[in-house]
mmCIF file of all heavy atoms in Angstrom:
data_model
loop_
_atom_site.group_PDB
_atom_site.id
_atom_site.type_symbol
_atom_site.label_atom_id
_atom_site.label_comp_id
_atom_site.label_asym_id
_atom_site.label_seq_id
_atom_site.Cartn_x
_atom_site.Cartn_y
_atom_site.Cartn_z
ATOM 1 N N SER A 147 8.119 6.647 -2.748
ATOM 2 C CA SER A 147 7.100 6.189 -3.697
ATOM 3 C C SER A 147 6.454 4.914 -3.179
ATOM 4 O O SER A 147 7.031 4.187 -2.375
ATOM 5 C CB SER A 147 7.711 5.922 -5.068
ATOM 6 O OG SER A 147 8.211 7.114 -5.607
ATOM 7 N N MET A 148 5.273 4.627 -3.709
ATOM 8 C CA MET A 148 4.470 3.537 -3.162
ATOM 9 C C MET A 148 3.862 2.725 -4.284
ATOM 10 O O MET A 148 3.514 3.256 -5.329
ATOM 11 C CB MET A 148 3.356 4.194 -2.331
ATOM 12 C CG MET A 148 2.283 3.298 -1.847
ATOM 13 S SD MET A 148 1.218 4.184 -0.676
ATOM 14 C CE MET A 148 0.068 4.991 -1.761
ATOM 15 N N ILE A 149 3.726 1.418 -4.029
ATOM 16 C CA ILE A 149 2.969 0.566 -4.945
ATOM 17 C C ILE A 149 1.748 0.034 -4.200
ATOM 18 O O ILE A 149 1.860 -0.381 -3.038
ATOM 19 C CB ILE A 149 3.847 -0.576 -5.518
ATOM 20 C CG1 ILE A 149 2.996 -1.463 -6.443
ATOM 21 C CG2 ILE A 149 4.519 -1.414 -4.442
ATOM 22 C CD1 ILE A 149 3.817 -2.433 -7.255
ATOM 23 N N VAL A 150 0.592 0.082 -4.856
ATOM 24 C CA VAL A 150 -0.616 -0.535 -4.299
ATOM 25 C C VAL A 150 -1.029 -1.653 -5.238
ATOM 26 O O VAL A 150 -0.987 -1.493 -6.450
ATOM 27 C CB VAL A 150 -1.767 0.480 -4.084
ATOM 28 C CG1 VAL A 150 -1.393 1.537 -3.083
ATOM 29 C CG2 VAL A 150 -2.206 1.135 -5.362
ATOM 30 N N TYR A 151 -1.391 -2.806 -4.678
ATOM 31 C CA TYR A 151 -1.707 -3.978 -5.503
ATOM 32 C C TYR A 151 -2.738 -4.839 -4.789
ATOM 33 O O TYR A 151 -2.879 -4.764 -3.557
ATOM 34 C CB TYR A 151 -0.423 -4.759 -5.832
ATOM 35 C CG TYR A 151 0.358 -5.269 -4.655
ATOM 36 C CD1 TYR A 151 0.261 -6.601 -4.252
ATOM 37 C CD2 TYR A 151 1.191 -4.424 -3.919
ATOM 38 C CE1 TYR A 151 0.990 -7.087 -3.176
ATOM 39 C CE2 TYR A 151 1.909 -4.897 -2.834
ATOM 40 C CZ TYR A 151 1.808 -6.224 -2.462
ATOM 41 O OH TYR A 151 2.513 -6.699 -1.387
ATOM 42 N N PRO A 152 -3.467 -5.660 -5.554
ATOM 43 C CA PRO A 152 -4.512 -6.466 -4.916
ATOM 44 C C PRO A 152 -3.919 -7.456 -3.917
ATOM 45 O O PRO A 152 -2.941 -8.151 -4.218
ATOM 46 C CB PRO A 152 -5.169 -7.211 -6.087
ATOM 47 C CG PRO A 152 -4.783 -6.445 -7.309
ATOM 48 C CD PRO A 152 -3.445 -5.848 -7.016
ATOM 49 N N SER A 153 -4.528 -7.547 -2.744
ATOM 50 C CA SER A 153 -4.050 -8.479 -1.718
ATOM 51 C C SER A 153 -4.276 -9.935 -2.129
ATOM 52 O O SER A 153 -3.785 -10.849 -1.471
ATOM 53 C CB SER A 153 -4.780 -8.219 -0.396
ATOM 54 O OG SER A 153 -4.561 -6.904 0.037
ATOM 55 N N THR A 154 -5.025 -10.135 -3.187
ATOM 56 C CA THR A 154 -5.347 -11.488 -3.669
ATOM 57 C C THR A 154 -4.170 -12.156 -4.380
ATOM 58 O O THR A 154 -4.250 -13.332 -4.703
ATOM 59 C CB THR A 154 -6.514 -11.394 -4.671
ATOM 60 O OG1 THR A 154 -6.193 -10.383 -5.638
ATOM 61 C CG2 THR A 154 -7.802 -11.023 -3.982
ATOM 62 N N THR A 155 -3.104 -11.414 -4.637
ATOM 63 C CA THR A 155 -2.003 -11.939 -5.462
ATOM 64 C C THR A 155 -0.967 -12.701 -4.642
ATOM 65 O O THR A 155 -0.765 -12.427 -3.452
ATOM 66 C CB THR A 155 -1.242 -10.784 -6.148
ATOM 67 O OG1 THR A 155 -0.812 -9.878 -5.131
ATOM 68 C CG2 THR A 155 -2.108 -10.066 -7.145
ATOM 69 N N LEU A 156 -0.273 -13.625 -5.320
ATOM 70 C CA LEU A 156 0.962 -14.171 -4.760
ATOM 71 C C LEU A 156 2.072 -13.172 -5.055
ATOM 72 O O LEU A 156 2.142 -12.606 -6.152
ATOM 73 C CB LEU A 156 1.295 -15.519 -5.421
ATOM 74 C CG LEU A 156 0.473 -16.726 -4.957
ATOM 75 C CD1 LEU A 156 0.745 -17.925 -5.849
ATOM 76 C CD2 LEU A 156 0.763 -17.068 -3.496
ATOM 77 N N HIS A 157 2.937 -12.952 -4.084
ATOM 78 C CA HIS A 157 4.031 -11.986 -4.283
ATOM 79 C C HIS A 157 5.193 -12.364 -3.380
ATOM 80 O O HIS A 157 5.047 -13.227 -2.493
ATOM 81 C CB HIS A 157 3.547 -10.559 -4.011
ATOM 82 C CG HIS A 157 2.897 -10.385 -2.678
ATOM 83 N ND1 HIS A 157 1.555 -10.631 -2.467
ATOM 84 C CD2 HIS A 157 3.409 -10.034 -1.467
ATOM 85 C CE1 HIS A 157 1.275 -10.430 -1.190
ATOM 86 N NE2 HIS A 157 2.382 -10.064 -0.546
ATOM 87 N N ARG A 158 6.337 -11.747 -3.605
ATOM 88 C CA ARG A 158 7.526 -12.042 -2.800
ATOM 89 C C ARG A 158 8.451 -10.834 -2.811
ATOM 90 O O ARG A 158 8.285 -9.926 -3.638
ATOM 91 C CB ARG A 158 8.263 -13.272 -3.352
ATOM 92 C CG ARG A 158 8.847 -13.082 -4.746
ATOM 93 C CD ARG A 158 9.591 -14.340 -5.223
ATOM 94 N NE ARG A 158 10.261 -14.128 -6.504
ATOM 95 C CZ ARG A 158 9.707 -14.345 -7.693
ATOM 96 N NH1 ARG A 158 8.448 -14.757 -7.766
ATOM 97 N NH2 ARG A 158 10.389 -14.127 -8.812
ATOM 98 N N VAL A 159 9.413 -10.837 -1.904
ATOM 99 C CA VAL A 159 10.488 -9.839 -1.936
ATOM 100 C C VAL A 159 11.778 -10.600 -2.215
ATOM 101 O O VAL A 159 12.148 -11.513 -1.456
ATOM 102 C CB VAL A 159 10.585 -9.036 -0.618
ATOM 103 C CG1 VAL A 159 11.774 -8.078 -0.657
ATOM 104 C CG2 VAL A 159 9.294 -8.265 -0.366
ATOM 105 N N GLU A 160 12.423 -10.253 -3.319
ATOM 106 C CA GLU A 160 13.661 -10.926 -3.719
ATOM 107 C C GLU A 160 14.756 -10.702 -2.670
ATOM 108 O O GLU A 160 14.739 -9.684 -1.959
ATOM 109 C CB GLU A 160 14.141 -10.373 -5.065
ATOM 110 C CG GLU A 160 13.220 -10.708 -6.230
ATOM 111 C CD GLU A 160 13.328 -12.150 -6.706
ATOM 112 O OE1 GLU A 160 13.224 -13.071 -5.871
ATOM 113 O OE2 GLU A 160 13.498 -12.356 -7.912
ATOM 114 N N PRO A 161 15.699 -11.640 -2.563
ATOM 115 C CA PRO A 161 16.773 -11.461 -1.581
ATOM 116 C C PRO A 161 17.523 -10.142 -1.777
ATOM 117 O O PRO A 161 17.791 -9.743 -2.909
ATOM 118 C CB PRO A 161 17.699 -12.651 -1.872
ATOM 119 C CG PRO A 161 16.848 -13.664 -2.549
ATOM 120 C CD PRO A 161 15.819 -12.897 -3.323
ATOM 121 N N VAL A 162 17.804 -9.477 -0.669
ATOM 122 C CA VAL A 162 18.696 -8.308 -0.696
ATOM 123 C C VAL A 162 20.117 -8.859 -0.637
ATOM 124 O O VAL A 162 20.421 -9.711 0.217
ATOM 125 C CB VAL A 162 18.386 -7.365 0.482
ATOM 126 C CG1 VAL A 162 19.469 -6.322 0.664
ATOM 127 C CG2 VAL A 162 17.030 -6.691 0.271
#
Side-chain angles (χ1 to χ4, degrees):
S147 296
M148 171 171 85
I149 178 169
V150 297
Y151 59 100
S153 301
T154 50
T155 55
L156 283 171
H157 53 274
R158 65 179 185 270
V159 176
E160 293 284 52
V162 167

